[in-house]
Amino acid sequence: MSTEFSERCTIVVAPRDRFSTAENCIKNLIKNTPQPFDLVIIMGGASKKLRNRMVKAFGSCAQILFDDRFLNTSEIRNRALAIARTRLTVFIDTDLFVRPGWLPPLIQCQRETGAAM
């Protein structure tokens, strides 16, 4: 299977049970994901301290949306899809740490199968 990457996609990062892994997850994602991609970070219920750190660390390379209340998975998905400007959107939780080369096979699989999800 060819893993040549040529299509821009939106990657959405949302919290999964805890916020403590968020910053390392996003750093790892940026390091191990080939460009181009749009990065959207959605955090509901994050502390002001975490919000400030996230904006400082990722504000120049991501669209970051905060909400004062915790958001369920459907709310996060709907908000993300409303702002995504690419054909494909990938959702990951903050407890996921991707490895180099993770995204091209997903894009290739979608192309080959026409999968929607």
Side-chain angles (χ1 to χ4, degrees), residues 96-114:
L96 180 71
F97 289 84
V98 299
R99 295 181 179 178
W102 73 278
L103 185 58
L106 290 179
I107 301 293
Q108 186 65 31
C109 179
Q110 190 284 322
R111 286 182 185 145
E112 291 174 1
T113 66

Side-chain angles (χ1 to χ4, degrees), residues 4-25:
E4 182 178 316
F5 184 80
S6 63
E7 184 173 354
R8 179 181 213 100
C9 67
T10 300
I11 301 172
V12 179
V13 179
R16 171 71 179 229
D17 299 329
R18 59 187 171 173
F19 295 108
S20 61
T21 56
E23 292 162 285
N24 286 334
C25 168

Side-chain angles (χ1 to χ4, degrees), residues 6-79:
S6 63
E7 184 173 354
R8 179 181 213 100
C9 67
T10 300
I11 301 172
V12 179
V13 179
R16 171 71 179 229
D17 299 329
R18 59 187 171 173
F19 295 108
S20 61
T21 56
E23 292 162 285
N24 286 334
C25 168
I26 297 165
K27 287 176 191 174
N28 181 66
L29 173 75
I30 292 168
K31 176 183 169 188
N32 291 309
T33 306
Q35 290 288 339
F37 66 93
D38 297 339
L39 180 57
V40 175
I41 302 167
I42 300 179
M43 297 280 165
S47 70
K48 187 159 184 79
K49 186 177 178 180
L50 177 59
R51 290 178 186 209
N52 291 337
R53 287 196 321 261
M54 297 285 280
V55 169
K56 184 177 180 181
F58 309 113
S60 64
C61 63
Q63 184 173 0
I64 307 172
L65 305 174
F66 295 110
D67 198 295
D68 291 334
R69 66 182 183 83
F70 292 100
L71 303 171
N72 66 45
T73 304
S74 296
E75 290 173 312
I76 292 168
R77 182 193 62 234
N78 291 340
R79 286 185 185 189

